Amino acid sequence: MKRILVAHKAADGSLVDVETQFKGTATRPILMLGSGGAERERAILATLPGKAELSARGSLPVLLGGGLGHALGELLDRTPDDLPVAVVDKEDDILALTRLRQRFASPRIRWICGPDASRALAELTSWQEDCGGGPLLPLVHPFYFRLDRPWYQEIRRHAEASSRFDFWRKAVQPRFREASPRLLLITSKYFLMGEVTAACERLGIAHHLLTIDDKEVGGTEFVARLLHDVLTFKPDCILTLNHLGIDREGVLIDLLERLQLPLASWFVDNPQLIIHLYKNLISSWTTLFTWDADNIPELRAQGYEHVCYLPLGTNPDRFRPGLEKLPSRLFPTRVSFVGNSMVFKVEQKLRKNHFPEALLEGYQETAAAFTASPERSIRRFVLNDTRRASAYEALPTDELRLEYEAMLTWEATRQYRAECAAAMLPFNPVIVGDAGWKDIFQTQAPWHLHPEVSYYDGLPRVYPFSDVNFNCTSQQMKGAVNQRVFDVPAAGAFVLTDWREQMDALLEPGKEVIAYHTPEEAAELAAYYLAHPAERKQIAQAGRRRVLAEHTWEKRLSSIVMTMQSIYGR
């Protein structure tokens, strides 16, 4: 709502009050001081201790709202001459009217202004640390709470928490001192965090979930909850997936550095489609884990000191033999393929972003060329394309460049999956996926479409009831293996997957996994193993033994903990 300020002045022209009116609403005008005058504002300091007590506590006064300066002036008089004070005030129009910053230009005062609450909170925290880390003492001007209670309330909550807990003395502490670590998990609806949580429970690792949605990233409420959890749960490190919870402005990274709290960020999708949006956020307190070893050189080249390879895994309690099949006439089946067609994902990227014609013309051929190329990075591939590089670099934002990279990656995956899945059509397969497959195979040989199923409940009851579980990896990971390579063997089932360079170190080719190099070879291998069930069973059993021994989520989580402990333990 638009507001109008009315200055109330004395006969000599001095400002005695400010009236805030709200245009076009039924909200009544608000007077800053009203009939109480200057004494009403000075009453803010009623809880202010004496100089000796302030010095003993090491408290740092924080005035929430500058007002007309009556409280601020008295605050400076009643506190030691060397004691810093802060004023948090986002009301630029009122500050311009009162000229408070010009009238109080003391080096003792830290002015924290601007409408971004997360920035204000981060700046306040930084100031607190610069001043020795003493507890904050919030002094609330009631007029400002009437203007915007949620905004100022969040700042007050943070300050009061600091006062209660003597924040920095309790928050900054050695990590990994005990034999059993404590993990703070930043989580959303991403399915793999559920597996990480279950692995914590099976390993007996103390953990606490900090739930976030996209709108909260870097926001004041999220930061306040994080600080509360750090104080009460006392984690040894934070674990997140795909940089969830990390804001692009660096509020959280800066805060974790001041807390000396390590962050483990495990990328289970292509980090190059995510990380380059987070510029200048390099921190020695951050360790990146990536499921694709091909990403390691580029991440290190970007300045990340700690980068580790950590492939995906599986939950053998979820994916195991002996489960009932889905209530569907399509199972059991000879061949099944679980995967998104990418048809709608590509269409959504094109519809949403309105890329220039220079980037759209022939994009299907560009995507196909990327699939055929040995280049692993879609960004480098585009930059080396003389037809598109200049138009790509001319895109106005990093976000739009990211969207273009993702669109090409999904288009490359769409083409590749269509070609590979077509090799299974002679076996009358069941495809578990979206309706986009109908557009791809509308006139092809007989096949069946089953609606997408839940990862947690549906897929464990698909794999054991398919003689051949066909797998076709996304083009975002040319060298790495996907989830299915571990989940299918864990379920006691046979997987036929496309060969990936990093696969041979995880499963023994020909004995624990069968891989194809071309769609033609895929069809030949499917026919062979459908005709040889004993060999199929032997390979599935060998794969399951290897997966249970080396590729469970417990193994992956233990690896993260050991790595973080070796880097940050004291």
Side-chain angles (χ1 to χ4, degrees):
M1 73 183 73
K2 184 176 181 179
R3 67 188 186 193
I4 299 172
L5 301 181
V6 178
H8 292 213
K9 296 184 179 182
D12 62 1
S14 60
L15 187 65
V16 296
D17 209 346
V18 174
E19 179 180 343
T20 305
Q21 300 176 358
F22 302 94
K23 187 176 181 180
T25 74
T27 304
R28 297 178 62 184
I30 303 173
L31 285 170
M32 180 182 287
L33 303 181
S35 59
E39 288 307 311
R40 182 181 182 187
E41 186 167 295
R42 293 191 185 100
I44 296 168
L45 306 181
T47 59
L48 182 70
K51 290 184 179 181
E53 187 176 351
L54 274 175
S55 297
R57 291 183 185 178
S59 298
L60 298 169
V62 179
L63 191 60
L64 300 185
L68 291 185
H70 304 299
L72 180 55
E74 185 164 334
L75 177 62
L76 295 176
D77 291 339
R78 290 173 53 181
T79 54
D81 292 341
D82 59 349
L83 180 68
V85 301
V87 180
V88 181
D89 190 329
K90 71 178 181 67
E91 317 307 326
D92 290 341
D93 53 349
I94 297 178
L95 285 170
L97 178 64
T98 62
R99 300 189 73 252
L100 212 60
R101 296 189 66 168
Q102 291 80 3
R103 290 161 49 205
F104 291 89
S106 169
R108 289 176 58 190
I109 303 175
R110 176 65 171 268
W111 292 91
I112 299 175
C113 305
D116 189 327
S118 59
R119 275 293 176 192
L121 181 58
E123 190 175 346
L124 182 62
T125 305
S126 177
W127 172 78
Q128 180 186 21
E129 183 185 10
D130 292 342
C131 295
L136 301 177
L137 177 61
L139 303 164
V140 179
H141 196 307
F143 167 75
Y144 292 81
F145 269 53
R146 295 180 69 190
L147 284 181
D148 193 341
R149 173 173 289 275
W151 198 96
Y152 289 98
Q153 180 80 325
E154 285 300 326
I155 305 297
R156 183 173 74 172
R157 284 174 182 166
H158 167 72
E160 288 177 341
S162 170
S163 178
R164 286 195 305 272
F165 293 111
D166 193 4
F167 181 77
W168 290 106
R169 290 186 180 90
K170 290 183 176 292
V172 179
Q173 58 183 333
R175 309 296 174 184
F176 295 101
R177 292 176 298 177
E178 305 297 331
S180 180
R182 302 174 67 82
L183 303 183
L184 180 59
L185 309 177
I186 299 180
T187 182
S188 67
K189 296 179 180 179
Y190 196 87
F191 74 95
L192 282 187
M193 189 51 84
E195 299 294 4
V196 173
T197 302
C200 284
E201 293 170 352
R202 291 192 293 271
L203 290 171
I205 292 177
H207 60 286
H208 179 77
L209 294 175
L210 177 58
T211 305
I212 185 174
D213 60 39
D214 290 340
K215 296 179 181 178
E216 283 189 306
V217 174
T220 305
E221 182 180 348
F222 171 65
V223 171
R225 288 193 288 120
L226 172 68
L227 292 173
H228 176 269
D229 291 344
V230 168
L231 289 168
T232 56
F233 179 66
K234 295 182 171 60
D236 291 302
C237 76
I238 292 178
L239 174 60
T240 188
L241 299 180
N242 291 342
H243 249 34
L244 176 71
I246 311 303
D247 60 289
R248 299 174 193 174
E249 292 75 25
V251 171
L252 185 60
I253 293 297
D254 289 345
L255 180 60
L256 295 183
E257 278 198 338
R258 291 194 291 274
L259 292 169
Q260 298 180 26
L261 179 59
L263 169 71
S265 187
W266 186 9
F267 283 93
V268 293
D269 288 310
N270 189 346
Q272 300 309 330
L273 293 179
I274 303 170
I275 200 75
H276 77 274
L277 292 177
Y278 298 84
K279 296 181 177 179
N280 303 316
L281 296 185
I282 311 299
S283 169
S284 61
W285 291 93
T286 297
T287 295
L288 303 184
F289 297 85
T290 173
W291 97 119
D292 187 347
D294 292 339
N295 295 317
I296 293 177
E298 187 165 351
L299 290 172
R300 286 180 176 164
Q302 292 174 19
Y304 290 95
E305 180 181 357
H306 307 299
V307 185
C308 307
Y309 170 55
L310 190 69
L312 299 173
T314 191
N315 179 352
D317 290 342
R318 189 179 313 284
F319 292 93
R320 56 186 173 83
L323 297 175
E324 294 182 0
K325 77 176 187 70
L326 287 175
S328 170
R329 62 175 180 80
L330 297 179
F331 293 96
T333 185
R334 299 180 73 206
V335 175
S336 71
F337 171 56
V338 179
N340 193 286
S341 71
M342 312 307 287
V343 168
F344 301 130
K345 289 194 173 186
V346 173
E347 289 179 355
Q348 188 269 341
K349 293 290 184 188
L350 293 172
R351 185 170 57 251
K352 170 186 173 184
N353 292 291
H354 307 291
F355 300 116
E357 187 60 33
L359 293 178
L360 290 177
E361 184 179 359
Y363 75 88
Q364 297 96 336
E365 290 76 11
T366 300
F370 172 66
T371 298
S373 166
E375 176 59 66
R376 302 294 173 90
S377 167
I378 186 66
R379 189 180 321 116
R380 284 198 300 266
F381 181 80
V382 174
L383 289 172
N384 289 330
D385 184 342
T386 55
R387 298 176 305 160
R388 302 182 188 277
S390 59
Y392 166 81
E393 291 184 299
L395 289 172
T397 65
D398 285 336
E399 288 79 3
L400 198 54
R401 282 185 282 275
L402 174 64
E403 289 286 282
Y404 185 69
E405 293 169 25
M407 185 276 291
L408 283 182
T409 302
W410 302 155
E411 173 61 20
T413 301
R414 183 196 68 78
Q415 297 176 16
Y416 177 68
R417 281 188 175 172
E419 183 181 10
C420 292
M424 295 296 104
L425 292 180
F427 307 105
N428 195 17
V430 174
I431 297 179
V432 181
D434 60 290
W437 287 108
K438 293 181 179 180
D439 295 339
I440 294 175
F441 293 142
Q442 55 185 335
T443 61
Q444 301 293 327
W447 64 283
H448 304 279
L449 179 66
H450 190 286
E452 294 172 299
V453 298
S454 161
Y455 176 83
Y456 289 112
D457 181 61
L459 287 184
R461 299 192 290 158
V462 167
Y463 297 149
F465 299 97
S466 302
D467 294 338
V468 170
N469 288 277
F470 186 69
N471 184 41
C472 181
T473 312
S474 167
Q475 288 302 293
Q476 71 165 318
M477 45 199 296
K478 286 189 171 184
V481 300
N482 64 11
Q483 193 74 46
R484 203 157 292 118
V485 172
F486 303 114
D487 287 342
V488 175
F494 176 86
V495 61
L496 173 60
T497 185
D498 45 348
W499 181 81
R500 287 293 182 263
E501 186 177 301
Q502 295 164 39
M503 181 185 301
D504 293 355
L506 302 169
L507 296 165
E508 186 174 353
K511 292 186 177 181
E512 296 171 337
V513 65
I514 300 300
Y516 62 90
H517 294 76
T518 65
E520 294 76 19
E521 185 184 17
E524 294 171 3
L525 289 170
Y528 177 86
Y529 283 102
L530 285 171
H532 296 82
E535 290 185 43
R536 196 172 68 233
K537 182 178 180 180
Q538 184 178 16
I539 291 167
Q541 290 175 339
R544 186 169 193 270
R545 286 192 295 269
R546 179 72 176 273
V547 166
L548 296 186
E550 299 182 13
H551 303 310
T552 63
W553 293 121
E554 290 96 318
K555 295 290 184 182
R556 302 297 187 249
L557 187 60
S558 296
S559 179
I560 290 176
V561 169
M562 290 176 61
T563 299
M564 298 299 285
Q565 191 167 23
S566 68
I567 297 173
Y568 304 104
R570 298 181 184 178

